[in-house]
Amino acid sequence: MQSLPSLVVDISILKWNMTALLRRCREWNICPVAVTKGCLADPVVIEALWEREFRSYADANLGSLLSIRKRYGAIPQLQLIRLPMRWELEPMVEAGIIAHLSHVEALDEINTIAQSRHCNADVFLTVEAGDGREGFLPAELLELPKFQHRWSHVRILGISLSLACLSGVLPYRETIHRALAWREEVSCRLERSSLLLSVGGSTFLPLWEDNRVFEGVNQVRVGEAWLLGTDISRKNSFAWLKQGAFTIRAEVVEVRSKEVNIKDTRGFNVFGRVVEPQPGKQRRRVLLAVGAQDIDETQLYLLEENAKIIGVTSNYLVLDVEECTHNYQPGEVVELQAGYGTVMRAYLSPFIKKMYTY
Ligand SMILES: *Cc1c(COP(=O)(O)O)cnc(C)c1O
């Protein structure tokens, strides 16, 4: 069967989540931007977003955005949410893709490009909000209006911030209030009345969940929530979204009781980690024909309660099924629910077949 291993995408769950997200965001008076990097901007998934009337997309890869532009023309609003490399500026200006920038020099450069093409470049000023990754420091942000005269062909749309992706710093009401104050200050110094405030990712949604509406936040960039229905930054699921849209299917290629020789000197496994053997002597193990090149075993969940993921090699996912009542056999197919990391890697793996249910 050439359909194994596979990633099965349940489009009906995704559509359900998209509709729920749109409805919530309408109530909260914010515009959702669909972040598509988690599914590598899968055209089948994007088509579902498009049918649900999502018109605003963001991705960390320029190629993904260019392919959306090619398919849907000028209508969708597209943003590159990774700081651009130099070479990306020109194609971004050409394709009308919004940039998130964090250096004065980058604004100078995009201005030069836009000027030579006789057009305008749209940008968000990214602000560091505490996660310790990209963004102007707040003090620098407030100095930017000094340079405004150099940016005749740049339209500053607003300021953007991100949290939880690197250090797991969570947003609080205070985070939003601070950002609103920065926005106010920059608007005032730029003599602009309508700068946007864009926040992301899914970790921001719980701030609105208790119907505590924040006036003034314009857009929220969301990927994980509508893809997986989860908020990994709080190890939570959203009650108003569905989980389980992505399933990994893999074939059992070996079932045997085995003992790891713990008396032997043990080093690190192939990925530099220490793997602790299960207690007891002989343990029944199942080997699945899917490996670290295809999945992230820390974000993969077995449906069978008593089975445990032991670890992964490049070629195999190894399960301990000693406590299971089910009698696993070579040739049978095991299904596992995929989390964000696994979905991303499965999309990137040429060995994983992508399949869809509707
Ligand atoms: C990935 C990303 C998002 C979306 O985050 P999710 O946790 O997937 O919702 C939003 N903004 C930026 C800048 C990102 O890199």
Side-chain angles (χ1 to χ4, degrees):
M1 236 195 318
Q2 281 170 8
S3 61
L4 291 171
S6 54
L7 174 73
V8 184
V9 186
D10 188 328
I11 296 291
S12 68
I13 292 184
L14 292 180
K15 283 187 170 174
W16 202 94
N17 284 351
M18 291 165 191
T19 305
L21 181 65
L22 279 177
R23 205 185 54 236
R24 290 272 164 159
C25 285
R26 210 170 299 127
E27 283 167 18
W28 296 336
N29 200 21
I30 41 177
C31 173
V33 177
V35 176
T36 54
K37 69 186 177 205
C39 63
L40 232 64
D42 180 341
V44 181
V45 175
I46 304 266
E47 183 60 25
L49 284 161
W50 187 259
E51 280 173 17
R52 286 288 176 282
E53 304 199 343
F54 272 87
R55 293 294 178 265
S56 191
Y57 303 91
D59 203 288
N61 293 294
L62 181 58
S64 294
L65 294 169
L66 291 173
S67 69
I68 297 175
R69 178 66 83 225
K70 202 163 160 202
R71 225 166 320 124
Y72 297 100
I75 294 168
Q77 193 188 60
L78 306 178
Q79 359 180 331
L80 184 70
I81 46 175
R82 177 194 17 83
L83 299 174
M85 293 179 268
R86 295 264 163 87
W87 68 262
E88 290 175 316
L89 292 175
E90 179 114 29
M92 285 175 75
V93 171
E94 188 181 336
I97 292 170
I98 300 164
H100 289 245
L101 301 179
S102 75
H103 275 294
V104 168
E105 294 74 15
L107 279 133
D108 289 340
E109 195 153 335
I110 209 167
N111 184 71
T112 306
I113 292 167
Q115 189 161 23
S116 71
R117 304 188 70 94
H118 308 289
C119 63
N120 288 316
D122 291 333
V123 308
F124 273 106
L125 306 172
T126 305
V127 202
E128 166 62 47
D131 206 34
R133 45 174 215 165
E134 81 267 37
F136 285 106
L137 301 177
E140 293 174 313
L141 181 73
L142 301 181
E143 293 303 310
L144 289 184
K146 278 201 312 216
F147 306 104
Q148 191 183 190
H149 64 278
R150 305 203 315 228
W151 303 326
S152 56
H153 290 71
V154 172
R155 278 195 301 233
I156 296 175
L157 300 183
I159 68 174
S160 67
L161 53 139
S162 311
L163 277 178
C165 294
L166 176 67
S167 322
V169 173
L170 298 176
Y172 294 95
R173 287 177 76 82
E174 195 48 39
T175 317
I176 302 269
H177 290 312
R178 238 184 299 138
L180 286 169
W182 295 330
R183 194 253 311 260
E184 219 37 59
E185 187 67 31
V186 177
S187 297
C188 180
R189 294 188 189 190
L190 286 173
E191 295 175 357
R192 288 271 312 275
S193 59
S194 57
L195 287 186
L196 302 175
L197 176 59
S198 171
V199 300
S202 302
T203 187
F204 276 89
L205 291 178
L207 292 186
W208 276 270
E209 273 188 321
D210 312 329
N211 291 323
R212 295 171 301 179
V213 176
F214 296 101
E215 286 305 328
V217 180
N218 304 94
Q219 55 172 239
V220 59
R221 307 179 307 272
V222 177
E224 188 194 350
W226 62 267
L227 284 164
L228 295 142
T230 55
D231 170 16
I232 202 166
S233 68
R234 292 179 184 78
K235 291 225 160 136
N236 265 344
S237 296
F238 291 100
W240 46 281
L241 293 170
K242 289 189 180 176
Q243 294 76 43
F246 296 92
T247 306
I248 291 287
R249 303 180 82 237
E251 186 174 316
V252 175
V253 288
E254 189 187 294
V255 184
R256 254 198 200 97
S257 284
K258 296 198 174 177
E259 185 183 359
V260 177
N261 191 344
I262 45 174
K263 285 182 229 103
D264 282 355
T265 323
R266 284 183 311 123
F268 301 95
N269 78 357
V270 66
F271 301 106
R273 297 186 205 124
V274 176
V275 177
E276 286 308 321
Q278 293 298 99
K281 286 200 154 190
Q282 300 272 322
R283 304 281 304 179
R284 198 158 184 80
R285 290 191 158 193
V286 160
L287 268 60
L288 299 177
V290 68
Q293 59 195 344
D294 313 304
I295 49 103
D296 172 354
E297 86 284 7
T298 64
Q299 294 197 4
L300 200 55
Y301 311 97
L302 282 157
L303 305 177
E304 163 89 47
E305 235 175 62
N306 294 321
K308 270 199 212 74
I309 293 174
I310 295 287
V312 72
T313 71
S314 307
N315 325 325
Y316 301 115
L317 180 67
V318 182
L319 313 181
D320 181 305
V321 297
E322 183 67 29
E323 324 282 342
C324 294
T325 43
H326 178 70
N327 186 18
Y328 285 90
Q329 298 295 330
E332 93 181 75
V333 175
V334 172
E335 296 196 336
L336 304 99
Q337 225 182 78
Y340 206 102
T342 285
V343 172
M344 252 188 187
R345 207 176 292 179
Y347 264 108
L348 284 166
S349 169
F351 310 113
I352 296 260
K353 186 157 168 83
K354 284 74 181 174
M355 302 173 81
Y356 303 91
T357 55
Y358 294 89

